[in-house]
Amino acid sequence: MKPTLFFVLIPLLITTSVNAQASKKYQKLRKNYHYREGYIITKDSTKITGLIKYSIYFEAKKYGLVNFVHTDGKKRKYYPKDLNGYGHSIHKFVSDNSRFYEIVQTGKNIGLYKNISVTSWSTPGPNGTGPMTYSSSDESLYVKRSMDNSFKLVRKKKFKEEFSRYFEDCPALSSEIQHGRLTHEDISRIVIQYNHCK
């Protein structure tokens, strides 16, 4: 067998093997544009591949819930308390047990993450009609050092004071934040600098 043919056949055999193990229900959903091939990572760090239901209309839901289809066709809802993380295509999420955070940047010392939260409220409708419900979404950025257990919210308010202390183990970076040369709008650059600092 020629080497090039061998490398072409290997992915084909792996795909055929996965397809043979997947149920008919799974195969049908796999063709549905609402589903993406992805994975979940359980609390014991086991990676399980399957399908993730995805909707562009409910962007914030992916930070609190994963609708997952196992290869046997069984559907199950997973919450942040159930998983260490999940992912599909280029999107990767990690859990802190109360919500999921999407990875924006990674590095050996610190990562940058985002989360979207939704606030809903109701008001009386016009001319005595039923209540009208409104909602707004808010995207927030967070950082988390590899040695920390919790995510730290990045916000404009008190950024200079909070983050010059947060990065005090990198004096040059801390000084730039303290003197206002780097602000909350520079958080991506700050993360890169901190990863190169140590």
Side-chain angles (χ1 to χ4, degrees):
M1 184 183 290
K2 292 182 180 178
T4 52
L5 183 58
F6 177 75
F7 288 113
V8 168
L9 285 176
I10 289 294
L12 184 62
L13 290 171
I14 292 169
T15 304
T16 305
S17 174
V18 170
N19 288 342
Q21 295 172 3
S23 69
K24 288 182 181 179
K25 183 178 180 180
Y26 181 90
Q27 295 290 0
K28 186 178 178 181
L29 289 172
R30 194 177 185 189
K31 296 172 186 173
N32 186 315
Y33 70 93
H34 287 297
Y35 291 86
R36 305 280 189 274
E37 290 192 67
Y39 62 88
I40 55 173
I41 300 173
T42 62
K43 285 296 182 184
D44 64 358
S45 299
T46 302
K47 185 176 183 178
I48 302 170
T49 58
L51 299 175
I52 293 172
K53 191 173 184 181
Y54 181 79
S55 174
I56 58 170
Y57 303 109
F58 301 102
E59 182 77 3
K61 275 193 175 179
K62 64 185 181 184
Y63 297 94
L65 172 68
V66 181
N67 285 300
F68 191 75
V69 183
H70 291 265
T71 53
D72 63 3
K74 288 182 182 174
K75 293 182 179 180
R76 184 171 168 192
K77 292 181 178 181
Y78 290 97
Y79 297 90
K81 63 182 177 61
D82 304 319
L83 303 173
N84 283 341
Y86 77 97
H88 60 88
S89 61
I90 60 169
H91 304 281
K92 296 178 182 176
F93 298 81
V94 294
S95 168
D96 72 348
N97 291 322
S98 63
R99 53 186 159 174
F100 293 113
Y101 298 82
E102 185 170 5
I103 300 171
V104 177
Q105 276 175 244
T106 57
K108 62 177 182 173
N109 300 311
I110 195 168
L112 179 63
Y113 306 84
K114 78 173 180 179
N115 182 276
I116 295 177
S117 57
V118 174
T119 305
S120 300
W121 67 95
S122 296
T123 60
N127 302 323
T129 59
M132 299 183 72
T133 303
Y134 301 91
S135 64
S136 67
S137 60
D138 182 43
E139 182 179 300
S140 301
L141 292 175
Y142 295 80
V143 291
K144 181 180 171 294
R145 291 180 293 205
S146 51
M147 61 184 162
D148 294 338
N149 293 321
S150 59
F151 293 79
K152 183 168 180 60
L153 176 63
V154 178
R155 56 183 184 162
K156 183 178 180 180
K157 186 178 180 182
K158 295 187 179 179
F159 180 84
K160 187 186 292 188
E161 296 85 356
E162 285 185 18
F163 281 86
S164 60
R165 285 196 305 270
Y166 188 75
F167 293 114
E168 64 187 359
D169 57 338
C170 182
L173 179 57
S174 179
S175 176
E176 284 195 71
I177 295 169
Q178 182 62 47
H179 291 95
R181 290 191 289 272
L182 292 172
T183 71
H184 68 288
E185 294 180 344
D186 303 304
I187 194 61
S188 178
R189 183 177 158 195
I190 289 168
V191 165
I192 292 168
Q193 283 191 223
Y194 187 75
N195 279 317
H196 285 91
C197 183
K198 302 178 77 182

